[in-house]
Each structure stands twice: as structure tokens, then as C-alpha cells.
Amino acid sequence: MMKKILTVFLIGMSLCSYNAKAQDDNYVATPVTVSKEKTKNAAGEVFYSHVVLERQTLYSISKAYGVSVEDICAANKALNLETEGLKKNQIILIPTSSDSSASHVETSSPSSQSETEYIVHTVKWFEDMATISAKYGVPADVIMEFNGMTSQSVSRRQQIRIPRNYKPSASQPATASGTGVPYIEETAVAESNTQNDNGSVWDDLFSFGKKDKVNMSLILPLDSKGQPAENPYDFYCGALVALRDLEAEGIKVRMDVFDCAHGAMPAETADFNRSDLVIGPITSADVAKALEKCQDNSVIVSPLEQKVASLAATNSNMVQLPCSAEMQARELVSWLREEIAPSDKVILVTEKSKALTGNAAMLKARMDSSHVNYTLLSYGILEGRDVINRMENLSSKDGVTRVVIASESEAFVNDAIRNVSLLNVRKHDAVSYCLAKVRNFDTIDVEQFHTTRMHICTQYFVDYSEPKVMDFLMTYRALYNAEPGPFAFQGYDSTYQMVKACAENGRNWAKRLAGTRAHGLQTDLQFVNSASGSAVNTAVRRILFDRGYDIRLVSVR
């Protein structure tokens, strides 16, 4: 039996080698199509946004756009095209040229096709059949019949014909209302009847269960009073960039997008049945509705809300991405313990006459259970100058004074940080340890974050010095002519990491997350299984505000 398997493997390798050689012998350069998408840089200069395809060269691209290779390299200095060359799916900027054919490219419009009986509409990433119907005033069923379509599902860049001179009959309205049918974003040909592949016993014994195509659903509250909801749409945009990168790695993805705004849950049991994973919804109430319809037929990935962790504790088919506040407090105390030297002193600062609640109480409880030797300093915000003298008396004379601030009150934390900063003015070496919420406080002088070398443990932080972060930044700017926010980064991380895990692990992929680690753009992942069997993320990012005015991501030991 083993000899037979070995023979089949060797034959397969030989065929692969032959095919590779045959492809090399029949090399054909990929034609260059001039992009219709334009963008502006900070100086207001207009560029074409070109997506590099396999076997395209700087020379072939320059000829198609009517510009020189040197002009393209100058427009993309950060990419170092002269030395590093082009990469597949890379987005580069092409200078517009008034004397080139590129400058005369026009998109289809009603006026340019006045002689025809229809308008050709190219589907945008944010459109579905309902929005297209409303745009042209033509009912969805008429558009479907005109194009021979059997489903209202449409995909990005799909071209559909819109009847030009449509006139509604008395019994038929001019426009169709939204039907809840999902928008489909696909990086491969989608099959509407595709079912969730549950694999076989072979998946558990060998790696044959790896998937080269993943079916996923994205459920977000996209509509806000008739307008796109900014944060969910940012998340969606980040997810689309992740799909591009996954496709470049050979992972094909079919993504159904559902709008769960206003308490609606448009996804039905059949939609969950054909999905290997579902990213979203966001709130506990919406996740509970999704779980009810899902019926254990797919995996629900909670991407943003910590409070959904209570549902992960009782449902085995969930993945909880946001790490809990308790994990952040535990990591902060672990970091403190790693840094304490024999000559150091630890001061735990709390607000007098205020009962510790929430994350502040959690931090103190973690300090007590870790057996860190600390001195408690509890004071009121109105106690004035005497506080700094008391803090100085508790400080180390020849070591580091490590001040842990157990409070989420902006006014009190502001005062405590000011006192730690004054310790440094008085020639003490003092550093601070704070809860992650401090990053949202507007009244604290950011300079004091650095003078106290503030330590924070958080679930979200973007290190812009990382090359993959800069690649995402450049891609996002080129695609959307906008800057990515935290939701865009989380949309990328959630989609890329979860789809990749599903593709690599096949059947029961979520059960195999335990023990795996990953480093995302703004989120780290390290999973454990809860008592219910769900996968819960425990990874936390350590952030240090240096006195050199840098903000550093510190590796966990």
C-alpha cells in the first residue's frame, strides 16, 4: 500500500515538473489594460491606479499608458520599483499624460451609448441589485429578465445591461424595493448552490482537508438612516483588501454580505449552511440571532465586541477575536513582574472614597493574586500638592518607581500621571502602568505619556514601521482614496486570519485554532478553547511610550 502511494506521489511530481516546463516554453506576456480608476496624492496630482497582473512589466505598462518607465518609478518611490521590480496584485500609480491614449479612456455612460437600447452598468463593490434598480428606476425583475439572470446576486465588476427606454406599466412600479438578497464579493467563480463542505474522516488523519476555496458570509450593520454607516463600511473595505491578498496566495473566496442594520437578520439557515465561516455580527443581540439561525451549521466569528464573549462561553461554534479586559489586566501585571528589579518599588494608586469597579477592580484583583509586593496609595483628586510628597516618600531611592494606576476616571488618571511626571522632575526614575482606556482620554498631555514611559496592554495597536502595514496602507489609499481607520485594519485582520485558518485546516477548522498564534496588522491571535469548545483569543499587545517620543510594540516574552 505504501509503495503504491509513493508511486502515485512521484508520478504527480513528474507531471507538475512537466507542466511547469511546458508553461515556461509557451510564455505569453499579459496584455495591459488601461485602468479607469484614478486617485490623487497629497499634492493634488492625478494618477491612474493600476493593479499589476502576472507577467506584466514596467516597460509594457509604460507603453500602454504612454509614459516612461522613469515616470512610473518616480510616482512610486516608496515601492523601489527600480531595484525590487513589480509584484503580482501590487497597486502602482501611473502619471496621467495629456498626449497618451490613456487620457482619452472614458467609462460607459448613457450619453455615449445613445444609439443602443441599453446602458452597460459595471457593478461597484458597494452595490446590490436593489441599489442598481433604484439608481436607474428599473425594477430588479426587469433587469434580471433583460440579462437572462436567475438570481438577484451580483458581483463586483460584473457588467449588466440596463434597458434604456423602460416604461413601467400601470400594474408595475417604476422601482423595486430592497429584498435582503446579499451582495456577493467573489475572488473566484461563485456557485449559487455551493454547500458547506464538511469534509471526511481523511481530514482528521491527513492534510487532504485543506480547502482552496472558502465560502464565507459577512454580517454588518451597513445602513445608518439611509446612509452608509462609516465604521462598518471601513470594516468591509478592509475585508475586501484581505480577499485580494488571499487570492494572491491561491485561496479563492466567495463572500456573501448581509446588512443587519435596524435589528434585521437577513441571513437565513440556508445561507449559514453554505458558509464555512461567518464574520459578524457585532452586537450581542445580533450574534444571538445569528446563532439561532445558524444551528451549528457554520462558525460565527465575533470580530469586535468583547461582551459577545458570554455567548462564546456557551456556544461551541464560535470564535471570539477581541481579547477580554481580564486578559489585558493579566498581561499588564505580567509585564510589570518581568521588569521588577530588587531595588524597584511598586505603588498601586487608586481614588479615595470611590469603590473600584469594572476594569480598575479587575486590575487590583490581578495585582493581589500575582503576589506583587506593592504599596497602596489612595488619595482624592482635591488633596493638592501633598500627594506628590507622599508619592515621593514611597519611591525607590536607587531603583525604578513603578506606579500602577487602577482607575478609569479621566480626571483622576490625569492627576495621577501628572504626579508620576513630577517624580521624574524631582530626579526619580518613575514609570507608569495604565489601563487601555487611557488612550481615549483627550485631556491628558500626550507628552506625559512619554515622560512617564507609560505601559499599556491593549487588543488593538498598529505599528506603522512594519512593511505589511505599509503595504496595506498603500493599497487602501489607492483603492479607496482614503486613510484606513481601526475598523478597516480589523476588517482585514479578521477576514485574512480566519479565512486562511479555514483554508489550511479544512473540516473542523475552528476546533484546531487552540494553540495557534498569528501576528496581524493591529491584532495578535493566540487561541484557547473555552469550556464550551469555542475558540477564544487571549493575545494582547504591549505598548510602550518611550522618552524618545516613540510608541513601541513590545514583544511578549
Side-chain angles (χ1 to χ4, degrees):
M1 181 65 181
M2 182 58 69
K3 193 177 294 183
K4 185 181 292 186
I5 292 175
L6 204 57
T7 302
V8 173
F9 176 74
L10 292 173
I11 291 173
M13 292 297 291
S14 300
L15 287 173
C16 290
S17 300
Y18 173 79
N19 288 336
K21 185 178 186 306
Q23 290 175 0
D24 290 341
D25 291 341
N26 295 279
Y27 178 90
V28 178
T30 303
V32 179
T33 301
V34 174
S35 173
K36 296 180 181 180
E37 298 181 8
K38 294 183 179 181
T39 185
K40 288 184 179 181
N41 64 8
E45 298 172 311
V46 180
F47 296 86
Y48 289 101
S49 179
H50 179 81
V51 180
V52 178
L53 302 181
E54 190 173 9
R55 295 180 177 176
Q56 287 184 346
T57 65
L58 281 170
Y59 178 79
S60 64
I61 294 172
S62 69
K63 289 300 180 183
Y65 283 90
V67 298
S68 68
V69 171
E70 292 76 14
D71 289 338
I72 297 176
C73 292
N76 299 272
K77 292 181 180 179
L79 299 179
N80 298 318
L81 297 180
E82 302 95 326
T83 57
E84 298 185 12
L86 298 173
K87 299 176 184 177
K88 182 182 177 182
N89 292 324
Q90 188 177 43
I91 296 177
I92 60 175
L93 303 179
I94 310 295
T96 55
S97 174
S98 58
D99 59 333
S100 70
S101 59
S103 62
H104 300 295
V105 175
E106 296 180 358
T107 58
S108 298
S109 64
S111 61
S112 63
Q113 299 191 23
S114 57
E115 296 79 16
T116 67
E117 61 179 355
Y118 58 84
I119 300 167
V120 176
H121 176 83
T122 302
V123 179
K124 308 297 191 300
W125 61 268
F126 54 84
E127 293 179 320
D128 59 15
M129 182 61 77
T131 58
I132 296 170
S133 170
K135 177 178 181 178
Y136 292 99
V138 181
D141 57 347
V142 174
I143 297 176
M144 290 172 59
E145 182 180 358
F146 199 79
N147 289 272
M149 300 168 64
T150 59
S151 168
Q152 289 199 18
S153 297
V154 292
S155 57
R156 179 170 62 96
R157 295 181 182 173
Q158 177 182 350
Q159 291 190 327
I160 58 178
R161 296 174 300 169
I162 311 296
R164 177 180 293 280
N165 298 315
Y166 169 77
K167 294 181 180 179
S169 63
S171 61
Q172 192 172 30
T175 59
S177 60
T179 61
V181 175
Y183 164 76
I184 298 176
E185 168 67 36
E186 48 187 344
T187 59
V189 177
E191 300 172 4
S192 59
N193 294 322
T194 301
Q195 296 295 316
N196 187 0
D197 180 13
N198 291 319
S200 67
V201 69
W202 287 94
D203 298 353
D204 297 323
L205 299 176
F206 303 101
S207 60
F208 299 163
K210 290 186 176 181
K211 303 170 70 70
D212 60 359
K213 180 178 178 181
V214 174
N215 297 306
M216 68 165 286
S217 294
L218 182 65
I219 305 178
L220 296 170
L222 296 171
D223 179 73
S224 177
K225 298 179 180 179
Q227 298 295 325
E230 182 177 353
N231 289 336
Y233 262 97
D234 285 351
F235 188 100
Y236 179 32
C237 291
L240 294 182
V241 178
L243 295 186
R244 294 170 60 94
D245 290 352
L246 289 163
E247 183 184 17
E249 297 179 21
I251 301 174
K252 301 174 184 177
V253 185
R254 171 196 166 99
M255 182 170 74
D256 292 351
V257 181
F258 298 90
D259 183 6
C260 65
H262 316 301
M265 180 49 61
E268 298 295 340
T269 301
D271 299 311
F272 290 110
N273 285 345
R274 67 167 175 262
S275 298
D276 297 298
L277 72 155
V278 178
I279 297 180
I282 296 174
T283 67
S284 297
D286 286 338
V287 171
K289 294 175 185 176
L291 285 168
E292 183 178 349
K293 290 188 177 182
C294 181
Q295 300 177 354
D296 293 334
N297 293 322
S298 187
V299 177
I300 305 289
V301 178
S302 173
L304 289 166
E305 177 58 67
Q306 290 183 7
K307 295 178 181 178
V308 180
S310 60
L311 293 172
T314 56
N315 291 273
S316 61
N317 60 324
M318 279 196 65
V319 176
Q320 176 68 10
L321 287 187
C323 63
S324 65
E326 183 178 1
M327 290 302 307
Q328 295 175 47
R330 186 178 75 172
E331 189 63 35
L332 188 64
V333 176
S334 296
W335 194 4
L336 170 68
R337 293 187 63 185
E338 291 171 13
E339 293 188 329
I340 293 176
S343 58
D344 294 350
K345 292 292 181 70
V346 178
I347 303 173
L348 178 63
V349 175
T350 63
E351 188 172 6
K352 183 188 293 186
S353 302
K354 293 288 182 69
L356 287 180
T357 59
N359 296 339
M362 201 176 296
L363 178 57
K364 185 178 185 302
R366 181 57 61 178
M367 288 284 290
D368 293 339
S369 63
S370 65
H371 306 294
V372 172
N373 186 19
Y374 70 83
T375 302
L376 179 64
L377 174 59
S378 183
Y379 73 92
I381 195 171
L382 300 178
E383 292 187 21
R385 297 181 179 179
D386 180 58
V387 176
I388 181 59
N389 296 327
R390 292 164 58 191
M391 187 177 288
E392 186 172 26
N393 291 334
L394 298 175
S395 298
S396 173
K397 304 303 184 229
D398 51 4
V400 179
T401 301
R402 304 185 182 277
V403 182
V404 181
I405 304 173
S407 174
E408 291 187 299
S409 165
E410 182 167 357
F412 182 78
V413 172
N414 195 343
D415 188 77
I417 290 293
R418 181 182 60 82
N419 285 319
V420 178
S421 185
L422 286 174
L423 281 182
N424 287 297
V425 173
R426 297 188 179 190
K427 307 305 180 183
H428 292 275
D429 188 1
V431 299
S432 61
Y433 296 77
C434 294
L435 293 165
K437 191 175 180 179
V438 71
R439 296 175 65 196
N440 298 326
F441 293 160
D442 296 326
T443 58
I444 299 180
D445 185 354
V446 177
E447 184 175 349
Q448 292 184 352
F449 283 25
H450 295 279
T451 58
T452 63
R453 281 185 291 164
M454 183 180 291
H455 296 58
I456 295 175
C457 287
T458 181
Q459 57 183 325
Y460 304 130
F461 176 76
V462 179
D463 183 358
Y464 286 92
S465 67
E466 293 186 353
K468 65 179 182 179
V469 171
M470 292 306 299
D471 287 344
F472 172 79
L473 192 64
M474 295 288 289
T475 301
Y476 196 93
R477 287 171 176 171
L479 286 174
Y480 306 118
N481 195 26
E483 293 296 312
F487 281 80
F489 281 104
Q490 192 66 8
Y492 181 95
D493 280 348
S494 302
T495 304
Y496 180 86
Q497 299 295 349
M498 294 297 95
V499 170
K500 192 174 180 70
C502 179
E504 291 180 346
N505 292 291
R507 181 173 180 248
N508 294 326
W509 67 273
K511 305 300 181 186
R512 299 174 182 174
L513 287 176
T516 61
R517 303 185 66 164
H519 181 72
L521 299 180
Q522 77 168 6
T523 306
D524 289 333
L525 302 177
Q526 183 175 0
F527 289 101
V528 298
N529 284 337
S530 68
S532 70
S534 62
V536 177
N537 184 26
T538 62
V540 179
R541 290 198 163 185
R542 295 177 174 182
I543 312 303
L544 177 64
F545 290 78
D546 271 342
R547 286 179 178 162
Y549 295 97
D550 290 329
I551 306 175
R552 292 195 294 113
L553 180 61
V554 179
S555 299
V556 179
R557 295 182 186 176

